[in-house]
Amino acid sequence: MSSAGRGCGNLSVVLGGDYAVARQAYENGVSLDFIQPGKPVQNLFVESFNGKMRDECLNVHWFADVEEARVMIGEWRRDYTQVRPHSSLGNRTPSEFAAAFSIQTGLQGLAS
């Protein structure tokens, strides 16, 4: 249990060896499971995102130059993070989820 009284998981997967994260986890009874160097597939959340970006953006567009790539990838990222509903968020967009979360918890500014 964290000091705020909310329940928290007892296992987190992290990419690096950040001392502050490790200390906070220890203080809150969360054990850390570090991803082994050279094994990014151990982070399934990143791998899922990478697969979607590859399938829906990189494999679909042919970029004439770096600027065009920046624009097209930026448009895809905005769609992914602001417009598209995600099943992991109860089929809400990230913006809708953040707004509902900030109302529910009283944390203002999270949805902006």
Side-chain angles (χ1 to χ4, degrees):
M1 223 16 133
S2 72
S3 59
R6 296 182 305 257
C8 62
N10 61 359
L11 177 69
S12 285
V13 176
V14 294
L15 287 171
D18 187 335
Y19 174 76
V21 171
R23 190 174 118 233
Q24 186 175 17
Y26 175 78
E27 290 171 355
N28 289 288
V30 176
S31 64
L32 298 176
D33 187 14
F34 291 92
I35 293 173
Q36 297 171 309
K39 305 226 179 209
V41 294
Q42 291 178 348
N43 188 339
L44 299 180
F45 299 110
V46 170
E47 288 301 306
S48 175
F49 172 80
N50 286 347
K52 287 181 176 103
M53 182 176 190
R54 188 174 38 254
D55 293 343
E56 299 171 10
C57 183
L58 300 178
N59 290 347
V60 175
H61 301 288
W62 183 270
F63 307 112
D65 55 37
V66 172
E67 186 56 35
E68 184 181 7
R70 284 187 181 125
V71 169
M72 298 294 286
I73 292 169
E75 289 173 4
W76 182 86
R77 182 184 51 81
R78 277 185 290 286
D79 178 67
Y80 186 83
T81 61
Q82 297 173 9
V83 178
R84 173 192 304 201
H86 295 266
S87 60
S88 63
L89 303 176
N91 291 316
R92 294 179 282 185
T93 67
S95 299
E96 292 169 336
F97 180 81
F101 180 81
S102 63
I103 290 169
Q104 179 182 0
T105 61
L107 297 174
Q108 299 305 315
L110 188 61
S112 51

